[in-house]
Amino acid sequence: MAKINYKKIPQYLLIKMAQEDDLKALEELIRRIQKDVFAMFSHLCNKRELISDLTQEALVKIAKNINKLKDVDCFKTWANRIALNTFYDELRKNSKLENSINIEDVNNTEIEDTSTQPMEKCLASELGCIIKNCILALPVNSRIAIVLREFEGMSYDDIANLTHTNVGTVKSRISRARLKLQEELNEYI
């Protein structure tokens, strides 16, 4: 029998295989989405340890509940809902989660970019840090809405469903977040 190369299998098939208790398919599926889940949490909170813990917790919940997913085409929204609910649980558990950020608490993760010169890299890294700090300074609901829209590429309707709010509220939060970010970043961009 030929060995299955899970890395070449499309995501929708991995999901179906994982739902049929194929642990290798589930492992590959989790490996593929872990960076996206980590990125979402890194935009929602500022403590590296907490980001890692939330990522791990969300991925475990996704793995444990993969059989509950009814529509494979809704996987991304379903996984984002689990991740966001995990974040909400943490907010409820630790109601003193800071909305502000201390510059010493930020761990900058550098992304290798061989096409730029060192000075350009330095400026881009600094700007990325400034943008992240501005996002983290937003109120939690606005931060969630802007991250889901701009970084996850979700529609207003999906964000409304995910956050249990109406579309008008989502649009308003995103609009206010964009205005606040424009104000804060005006001198940099």
Side-chain angles (χ1 to χ4, degrees):
M1 185 148 67
K3 186 176 175 181
I4 299 173
N5 186 352
Y6 288 91
K7 291 182 180 186
K8 293 186 177 183
I9 296 175
Q11 183 170 301
Y12 75 94
L13 283 178
L14 283 175
I15 296 166
K16 288 183 182 271
M17 292 167 72
Q19 288 177 326
E20 294 169 358
D21 297 326
D22 186 332
L23 294 179
K24 292 285 188 187
L26 180 60
E27 183 180 316
E28 175 62 21
L29 181 64
I30 296 299
R31 188 192 63 73
R32 287 187 191 180
I33 66 168
Q34 68 185 0
K35 287 181 184 176
D36 292 335
V37 173
F38 183 87
M40 179 195 290
F41 287 130
S42 72
H43 293 293
L44 294 175
C45 52
N46 61 350
K47 295 194 168 121
R48 182 75 172 193
E49 318 82 52
L50 182 59
I51 295 168
S52 296
D53 290 347
L54 289 172
T55 300
Q56 184 174 5
E57 189 177 336
L59 291 174
V60 167
K61 288 177 181 177
I62 290 168
K64 282 184 176 179
N65 294 297
I66 193 73
N67 289 327
K68 294 179 182 175
L69 176 65
K70 292 175 179 46
D71 185 359
V72 175
D73 293 333
C74 296
F75 176 75
K76 184 173 180 160
T77 302
W78 176 81
N80 282 336
R81 179 180 306 269
I82 289 174
L84 194 56
N85 286 341
T86 302
F87 180 70
Y88 283 139
D89 290 345
E90 182 63 27
L91 283 178
R92 281 188 289 274
K93 187 169 61 175
N94 184 4
S95 62
K96 294 182 181 178
L97 188 65
E98 297 176 36
N99 281 335
S100 62
I101 188 159
N102 183 349
I103 197 72
E104 282 89 29
D105 290 343
V106 177
N107 290 331
N108 292 325
T109 306
E110 292 205 23
I111 299 172
E112 184 77 22
D113 183 6
T114 57
S115 66
T116 58
Q117 298 298 317
M119 184 59 150
E120 292 170 335
K121 275 182 162 179
C122 181
L123 292 174
S125 176
E126 185 177 339
L127 182 60
C129 184
I130 291 167
I131 292 170
K132 182 175 180 177
N133 290 341
C134 289
I135 291 171
L136 287 169
L138 292 171
V140 174
N141 289 332
S142 295
R143 187 180 340 146
I144 289 168
I146 198 82
V147 167
L148 292 174
R149 178 69 179 169
E150 301 301 334
F151 295 100
E152 295 298 317
M154 294 180 71
S155 70
Y156 292 115
D157 290 332
D158 287 342
I159 296 169
N161 288 332
L162 200 57
T163 58
H164 305 291
T165 56
N166 63 47
V167 176
T169 302
V170 169
K171 287 180 179 181
S172 175
R173 287 177 180 168
I174 291 171
S175 177
R176 282 193 304 261
R178 285 177 178 157
L179 287 173
K180 181 70 173 164
L181 289 173
Q182 279 179 334
E183 285 175 19
E184 297 294 324
L185 299 170
N186 193 26
E187 64 185 81
Y188 302 103
I189 300 176

